[in-house]
Amino acid sequence: MSRIELRAVAKRWGDVTAVEPTDLVIGDGEFVAILGPSGCGKSTTLFMLAGIYVPSEGEIRFDDAVVNEVEARDRNVGIVFQSYALYPHMTVRDNILFPLRFKSVARDQARARADAAAKLVRIEELLDRKPAQLSGGQQQRVALARALVKEPQLLLLDEPLSNLDASLRMTMRAEIRGLQRKLGVTTILVTHDQIEATTMADRVICMSKGRIEQIGTADDLYHRPDSLFVAGFIGSPPINLLHGIVADGRIALGETSFGLSGTTAGRIVLGIRPEAVRLGAGKLQGRIDDIEPHGREAIYHLATPLGAIRALEPGSNARFRIGDALAFELGTPLVFDETTGRRLDGPTLDL
Amino acid sequence: MQLAGEIARPAAQDWPRLVARARVRRRAVTIFLYAVLILGSLPIVVPYLWLFTVALSGRTGAGTTVLWLTLAILMPALVAALVLRIAFEDERRRRRFELALAAVTLIALAFVTGPYLHTDNFRFLWITDIANQLKGESGTGSRYPSVWTAFGNSLFIALTQMVLVVSVSTMAGYYLSRFDFAGRAGYLKGLLVLHAFPAMTLIIPIFLLTYWVGLLDTLTGVILVVVALELPFAIFVMKGFFDAVPWDIEMSGMVDGASRRQAFFMLILPQVKVGMLAIGVFAFLRGWEEYVFVRTLLFKNTNWTMSLYLFWMNEDVMGTDYAMVSAIGVFYVLPSVVLYTICQKYLTQMSIGGIKG
């Protein structure tokens, strides 16, 4: 268990910058997720923590000791790869025992620890099989047991659930979360799946293009995104983004315009969550282009003078039909400066 | 929705007729496949059969009587086996008939060809100065070494060559697969070009080179030359096998506490075992069959290999004992055939591993 700190850590490959100088503190026993699209530098960050990549700049500290130069094998880190990286020629037991071969652990004690780790992830009856004879979920558990058997001070999970089917993913999500709570091991999960990140981690670090966009809880990221990127990346169906131009205290959106106070900036983006759009009442008029019924809720595609808008309403879609004209209103939108991509707190909109 | 045109659908489908038709088709395909395979393998099998029959039955000449007798029994047996294969779809019942057929064939063979067979042609194995008897002590006979000297030399060349090729190509293949260095792409292209390069055109330079470095007429010289020619292909194949092993495995191993070398030996090498085996078998066979370079670079009779022994035994102005030459041929080819039969499973996998490169 330990406290992890990054101080201005960056990674470059020649001219390509994978991770911009980044500062980050992860508390002892915390479960943190690094979320971002592929190529955002999240896996690079993970591999730097594991000791597989050496940072080009900055310091990585484990409990206040700089570990930049410490080799992967000496860091006492457990890692679960997306591919699980099980050793195909070894049985499950030998896979789990492998990390203990390099530690001074007596043979019978190592065996007892491997059995305990296997029990923790409920694969005791699979110990004598080869990885090829296991299902995806079982392989995942073996990889977890192998990462945990040496009692790492830091557990790294690299897209651990992306090779599982949907229902198994849900079970494993809860299971990994439970395991982490029980063991209290500092854990970093890397994922491109927002649901994985928000449901499992205490804090989510949202990354894009090698830079941390925002660090916060699921609530923070969803309701108070700092940037246009976070607003667009988090949420499914995605947020409505309406591009407008501000002039003379009004904002021009599509074919209409509204009063806007608190800013004089030129280009503005309004972000409205689909569920904040209320259908059937209000001052705005639109027409339903399409309806996607999901059972529990329905998604409506509206054609409006402001532009195309997605709305989400719980319950049945029986109230409306495709082609209906209807009144609607928007909730309080998030306002972003289009050029900087940052959220603006000042402006209020008169819709 | 109405698509253009209409497909006529029969009023009632005649299922039993369709079943019968499918069965006839399946049998036709079986007959065709077996016929093609048998016809395709005959030109390969018959010469070997000839060699074996002459080695076991010939008396100084290479008579074909036993070959024809054998074929006269084997060909009908083959046709009978084919008929059995088509007549019985149930494997257990067929097995019984096939065993009976095999027994009948063997008994017939023993009965018909038995009187012709003898092992006299293999006397070169125990009469080590056989050449003296055949070719005369005062003539060329005394130049001939024992067959076991040649056998040992061939074995030495093949094995040493195999060890060198496997170890060098494994390490080089791993490095090429995992590390980037200046000129890597050019190096890989170079390997392909060298592999495709006709080695025969290099004989004179190689002869001069081995002479200058003092390795002419030594087994070491031959081994080094063959290894050098064999390596480009072997390295390329091994690189393909290493490419197929995910990086995650060694990364995981290193996080688990292994050094890079330990990860290589404990985690990566076991994944490319098949490749090493295939390369090893190929290298062994290459060394075992080597003729051109041993003929060019070796002179002393104590350095003769099996191929040279066979060549010189065949070389006689006074008339060659083709029966014995055949026996030597059988003795020479047997290790290759056995090795190839045991390892063919791995050899076919080699091309699969190689493609990934």
Side-chain angles (χ1 to χ4, degrees), chain A residues 280-330:
Chain A
K283 287 185 281 182
L284 300 165
Q285 286 296 317
R287 188 168 46 80
I288 298 181
D289 258 357
D290 196 11
I291 303 178
E292 294 174 28
H294 284 237
R296 187 180 47 190
E297 73 246 343
I299 298 168
Y300 302 85
H301 295 260
L302 307 180
T304 77
L306 291 73
I309 288 180
R310 269 180 305 270
L312 183 142
E313 284 225 324
S316 149
N317 58 317
R319 274 206 297 155
F320 304 104
R321 282 159 186 268
I322 295 173
D324 281 357
L326 81 172
F328 70 95
E329 61 182 0
L330 305 173

Side-chain angles (χ1 to χ4, degrees), chain A residues 136-183:
Chain A
Q138 290 168 333
Q139 291 186 10
Q140 157 96 78
R141 286 162 197 271
V142 176
L144 258 175
R146 190 179 64 189
L148 290 172
V149 73
K150 57 181 167 182
E151 290 168 14
Q153 54 180 334
L154 175 62
L155 178 63
L156 302 173
L157 309 170
D158 185 13
E159 307 257 4
L161 304 178
S162 52
N163 286 345
L164 302 179
D165 62 54
S167 70
L168 200 56
R169 205 177 292 178
M170 207 140 131
T171 342
M172 285 311 292
R173 237 160 46 198
E175 220 162 287
I176 293 175
R177 180 88 186 97
L179 211 58
Q180 193 273 338
R181 269 205 207 106
K182 189 162 129 195
L183 301 173

Side-chain angles (χ1 to χ4, degrees), chain A residues 47 50 52-53 72-73 77 79 81 83 85-90 98-99 101-102 146 150, chain B residues 246 248-260 262-263 266-268 270-271 273:
Chain A
F47 288 157
I52 295 167
Y53 296 163
R73 54 177 165 154
V77 165
I79 186 164
F81 288 89
S83 64
L86 299 179
Y87 311 133
H89 58 295
M90 298 183 188
F98 188 77
R101 283 210 222 171
F102 306 97
R146 190 179 64 189
K150 57 181 167 182
Chain B
D248 287 2
I249 298 245
E250 63 218 283
M251 285 191 190
S252 173
M254 282 153 76
V255 172
D256 279 349
S259 67
R260 183 134 206 167
Q262 283 169 324
M266 297 166 85
L267 303 177
I268 307 297
Q271 320 295 326
K273 258 192 329 221

Side-chain angles (χ1 to χ4, degrees), chain B residues 270-345:
Chain B
Q271 320 295 326
V272 298
K273 258 192 329 221
V274 171
M276 292 169 73
L277 214 131
I279 294 292
V281 171
F282 263 96
F284 181 90
L285 292 179
R286 179 76 175 73
W288 185 254
E289 72 178 12
E290 180 51 45
Y291 173 68
V292 171
F293 288 103
V294 292
R295 180 89 167 84
T296 323
L297 303 177
L298 299 177
F299 319 116
K300 276 204 298 276
N301 63 3
T302 48
N303 278 342
W304 280 11
T305 60
M306 278 305 291
S307 52
L308 289 179
Y309 186 82
L310 181 63
F311 174 79
W312 288 114
M313 285 300 273
N314 193 15
E315 194 81 341
D316 197 331
V317 280
M318 301 296 287
T320 308
D321 181 353
Y322 280 108
M324 184 171 288
V325 169
S326 299
I328 297 170
V330 168
F331 178 64
Y332 184 27
V333 83
L334 267 183
S336 304
V337 172
V338 170
L339 194 66
Y340 203 89
T341 316
I342 295 171
C343 299
Q344 58 166 327
K345 193 173 77 184

